[in-house]
Amino acid sequence: MRWSDPQSRPGVTVEIQILGPVEVVSDNGVVLIPRRQGKLALGIMALEANKLVLADRLTDLLWGDQAPARARAVLQSRISELRLALSEADMQKSVRLATKPGGYLLEIDPMLVDAHRFRSAVEVANVRSTPQDETAAVLRHALDLWRGPVLGGWLPDSSQEIVSQALESARLSTIERLYEVELELGHNALAAEELLDHALTHPGRERLTELLMLAQHRSGRTAEALQAFDRCRRWLSTELGIDPGSALQDLHLAILRNDQSSTSAAIELQGSSYTSALPTGDFRPRRPETLPPGPIDFIGRRSEVEQLRVVLGRSGSGHTTPLAAICGPGGIGKTALALHVAHLAAPNFPDGQLYADLHGASGAEAADPHQILSRFLRAMGVDAPPTSLDEALDLFRTLTSGRRLLVILDNAYDAEQVLPLIPGSHSSAVLVTSRIRQHLLPASTTIQLDVMDAEDAVELLARVAGPSRVRQEPLATDEIIKLCGQLPLALRVVGGRLAMRPHWTLERMVGVLAHEHNRLDQFRDGGLDVRSSITLSYQGLDQPLQQLLTATGDLQVHELSVWQTAALMNQSLDEAEELLDQLFESQLVGVHGRELTGHARYRMHDLVRLFAQEQAARITGSTEANSARQRAFGGWLAIVETMHRSAYGGDYQTIHGSAPRWTLDRLLTDRLSRHPLAWFETERQSLLAVVRRLAELGATELLWDLACTASPLFQMRRHFDDWETVLDTALASCRANQDIRGEAAILYRQGGLATDRRDHAQARALYIQAKTIFDAIGDLQGQATMAAHLAMLDRFEGDPQAALAGYQTALPGMRDSADHAGEAFVLRGLGQAYQDLDDLERADHYLRQALDTCERHGIHRAAAQARFWLGMLRIRQQRFQAAQEMFAVVLDACTQLGDRPGEVQALRGIGLCYHHMGEKTLAASYLQDAHRRVVQPRPTLLEGFIRKTIEEISKDDRPAEAARDPR
């Protein structure tokens, strides 16, 4: 077989050189590519010619861990410059750089790239029927293509290794093969001269030293041959702590004995990575059949199955081996899906199937690729696989060349473990599963597996536990699926336990699973164990990641935000985000929405959360755990205060304790505080979890301060049930730990909740209890606050004179304590009371004072409330246009703030204006909209007033009154 250089063919107009500094050569000379990053990007894409290269992978390879702040934008700029350079060189007919979803594709004849021509030449030279002299010539031509390190060695060290490892290994194997041929041809002196540099440069390649010793010995330079052995032996001992292999030691002994037969046979016996690896004699390759049985109860995953079958069906149709990756956390069903698809696709791979569990869940016990290659080779009929990885790799690629094999690599840890196990022929296909997000794998398709959908989960449970039981208890079935987190492994275990207990009802199993503290114990049945599965992933984490997962478990929250992680780990936001991304890569958290700052939010699966809580229980009380907890809870208190101040315009109308705060990043809090109620909605469930955890830990002062500060946020978003839970929890903790000031602060907030729920008697009792405590401890702000709220109840109950007296009593205390929002609340109350008494002039005076106070101190919500009541006064004054303009301003302000009660009141006011102006249809529309927004499961005071207004305007002759309102 003869080989001709494709570059000698007529019509070739371009060559991309990457076996050395990257260069593009055309008929007109070297193409100028202005920046090194552009050259490197071209080189990487040329190495993977006609294959999509993901933008994220390019970024990782080009910059490693030193990526610029806007790496994606920089990459796009370099690609644009590269495309322009190729266009200006008029190379569109030979090279096309296409932008594809997620990355870039270099469309080019691979033979126009020196690396691909190198591989092609080596393949031709390794054909056994090629004459030795021609083989040597082809191999020298192949090696002449190298001008230095791959891509000039310009990539970061970690990237350079990934990109160049396989090519560099092939180069060294080719050098070994060349000098085997030269020795077989008798060119001993030539080989001795040329091999010396190679052996010195690569002392760990024993075969190079072996060939050098043979060449030197045969050239009459035996002393140098023995020196070469000693040099290699000392290097191996010093650097690796090992002795030379048996082949090198045997050759050394043969030279010492001057055993010509042994030294003559050394080439044939040891051979190169090609010749020695090929079995001799009557070797007949076997058809490997190592695929385990497929799952008998496989359910669902229809779209994923179809995607994978399409990828595997591409084998033999392109220039690369089709590779599909299935990624997902432990227990998600990756192996089951892979085996199911493998058995479906097996008929398309008549030369056999190879399966290996790479044990890569934690990384610590990950299988050695050489061991797996040896297993594969034995399965293919090689009784004694080569002892070196390079030789085993070459033999595997040789034996798989042209064959249609399906390779399943289960539970891979990283790309380095997988790449040596990919067959050397595009007629085969590879299916990989991994708990790590394998963005560095050259995969045609990567499927990120999620939990089962509810319908498939029901079917799986029915198959394992019995369909009749599932049909008979549908509610219990749904609850079991929820408690299992829709995780296939957990469902199989629970189904199996039910199958072994036919006398159990599904409701009984729900009761067993309901207890969080031992739920993971119920997900263990023989070899199936959810806890063990999660443990493997946990053990594969670096220590800071284990610490973060444990600390998050200690907080007992479901979601992880960047700012909370920064507090837990005492790190910057960037450092915290990097840790979270690493947990995401390890499949222990998923992305669950996005922060207002643009950061991702992360969420633990419920069973991972329970595991994290178990880990946290082991370190409860440690200095590290206490410090992380204190920072996190201090961060929560600080950020809730920030949101309260942003919503109210200041830290007003609340009672604080002295629990320590943790200082959060100023830029982050500034951005979040632009939308305080949107932030609150995002974090509400986590806030509830923190409240529960604080109660468990007995952190009473921090708990009541947090509950008191967060109360207006619950009130503005109308989450009354959650608000009640938080306050009840805080009150119980205060009483259990005899914190009377905290008790008074919570009683005050409970009075506000009772007021909103129209239970005035309960509200009065709570305010009086709080006032009694504030009087006893001499808390002036608390005393004034209670006097003002008791006056508000007097007004609601139809006694404006008593309300006036109460407000006048409260006003000095509000001013003395500098509670400007409280002062505005009292001034507004005075205006409302005078309005009830038809003293519209005094009402206007106090309402204007309230509005001036709010605007002077930037108290946004109270300003909207004061402006609303001025609008209601304008209605009483029959100045309907002026009132409508005020209500429009209120609606806009409350909508921007997210203040639902304020929005509803503004709609109510606009509806009243339209009613008085004779626009009955518009009036009814606005009021119905207000009612729709305010409806709660339990009636509230505001809903009652909206209903009353609707009833009054339905009577044409009785316009609504603007009095006795909660605002």
Side-chain angles (χ1 to χ4, degrees), residues 18-190:
I18 62 176
L19 300 179
V22 179
E23 286 191 349
V24 181
V25 181
S26 72
D27 288 341
N28 298 321
V30 177
V31 176
L32 177 63
I33 299 173
R35 300 177 194 264
R36 176 177 290 187
Q37 300 293 350
K39 288 185 177 182
L40 290 174
L42 176 63
I44 293 168
M45 290 185 287
L47 190 58
E48 302 188 26
N50 304 308
K51 182 176 180 181
L52 176 68
V53 180
L54 296 178
D56 287 344
R57 181 165 186 256
L58 266 177
T59 301
D60 289 343
L61 292 175
L62 289 175
W63 287 286
D65 57 3
Q66 301 296 320
R70 299 178 66 250
R72 180 63 69 87
V74 175
L75 176 62
Q76 291 173 347
S77 175
R78 299 296 175 267
I79 295 295
S80 296
E81 292 171 354
L82 179 58
R83 188 177 280 117
L84 179 61
L86 297 176
S87 173
E88 289 178 347
D90 195 23
M91 296 166 53
Q92 297 93 324
K93 293 181 180 179
S94 303
V95 182
R96 180 173 178 269
L97 178 52
T99 300
K100 300 290 184 182
Y104 305 96
L105 178 71
L106 187 72
E107 296 178 356
I108 187 174
D109 179 352
M111 291 300 102
L112 301 182
V113 180
D114 57 0
H116 296 289
R117 289 164 51 222
F118 166 75
R119 289 189 181 279
S120 176
V122 172
E123 287 178 6
V124 170
N126 282 338
V127 175
R128 284 186 164 183
S129 60
T130 306
Q132 294 287 56
D133 58 344
E134 186 175 329
T135 296
V138 172
L139 290 172
R140 284 189 178 278
H141 183 93
L143 291 168
D144 286 343
L145 294 172
W146 287 76
R147 299 170 295 109
V150 177
L151 305 184
W154 289 339
L155 288 172
D157 290 345
S158 58
S159 302
Q160 188 70 34
E161 183 177 357
I162 292 171
V163 170
S164 66
Q165 186 178 37
L167 271 171
E168 179 62 21
S169 176
R171 184 181 74 86
L172 293 174
S173 296
T174 302
I175 292 171
E176 293 167 353
R177 172 65 174 140
L178 169 64
Y179 291 106
E180 288 170 359
V181 174
E182 295 288 11
L183 289 174
E184 289 174 357
L185 291 170
H187 301 158
N188 300 311
L190 174 67

Side-chain angles (χ1 to χ4, degrees), residues 22 24 326 422 583 662 756 824 855:
V22 179
V24 181
I326 306 170
I422 298 176
L583 281 183
W662 191 79
D756 263 330
E855 291 182 336

Side-chain angles (χ1 to χ4, degrees), residues 568-743:
L568 276 173
M569 302 299 289
N570 198 21
Q571 292 183 331
S572 69
L573 292 179
D574 289 343
E575 292 170 326
E577 186 174 34
E578 176 60 27
L579 287 180
L580 288 170
D581 280 340
Q582 289 180 43
L583 281 183
F584 175 74
E585 291 291 329
S586 299
Q587 303 280 358
L588 284 167
V589 299
V591 172
H592 187 70
R594 193 164 294 281
E595 303 271 8
L596 295 170
T597 57
H599 295 103
R601 287 182 65 79
Y602 303 82
R603 185 180 181 90
M604 286 187 190
H605 188 279
D606 282 346
L607 302 186
V608 175
R609 176 179 58 84
L610 295 182
F611 175 85
Q613 289 175 200
E614 289 183 350
Q615 301 308 305
R618 298 177 181 177
I619 62 167
T620 296
S622 70
T623 302
E624 179 184 282
N626 289 337
S627 297
R629 188 185 295 152
Q630 187 175 28
R631 289 192 302 270
F633 290 146
W636 270 101
L637 186 53
I639 200 166
V640 169
E641 282 183 340
T642 299
M643 297 306 129
H644 177 273
R645 285 194 297 268
S646 178
Y648 267 79
D651 195 13
Y652 305 126
Q653 284 191 296
T654 193
I655 312 296
H656 285 303
S658 58
R661 278 66 169 161
W662 191 79
T663 304
L664 294 161
D665 182 271
R666 178 64 181 273
L667 291 176
L668 176 131
T669 52
D670 285 349
R671 292 183 66 183
L672 290 177
S673 62
R674 296 171 193 167
H675 308 283
L677 296 181
W679 173 88
F680 175 71
E681 286 295 347
T682 300
E683 296 284 9
R684 179 165 53 91
Q685 293 304 319
S686 293
L687 177 59
L688 294 172
V690 167
V691 165
R692 290 192 295 268
R693 185 63 175 141
L694 287 170
E696 290 175 5
L697 296 169
T700 300
E701 186 171 31
L702 203 155
L703 170 57
W704 72 251
D705 198 341
L706 184 64
C708 196
T709 307
S711 284
L713 305 177
F714 283 104
Q715 192 268 344
M716 279 190 278
R717 297 303 294 170
R718 316 303 282 172
H719 294 301
F720 290 151
D721 290 343
D722 287 346
W723 187 13
E724 180 179 28
T725 298
V726 168
L727 293 176
D728 287 350
T729 302
L731 184 62
S733 183
C734 288
R735 287 175 171 168
N737 292 283
Q738 299 182 341
D739 188 329
I740 60 172
R741 186 165 183 269
E743 181 180 350

Side-chain angles (χ1 to χ4, degrees), residues 818-831:
D819 188 342
H820 302 303
E823 178 185 354
F825 176 80
V826 171
L827 291 170
R828 193 185 78 229
L830 287 167

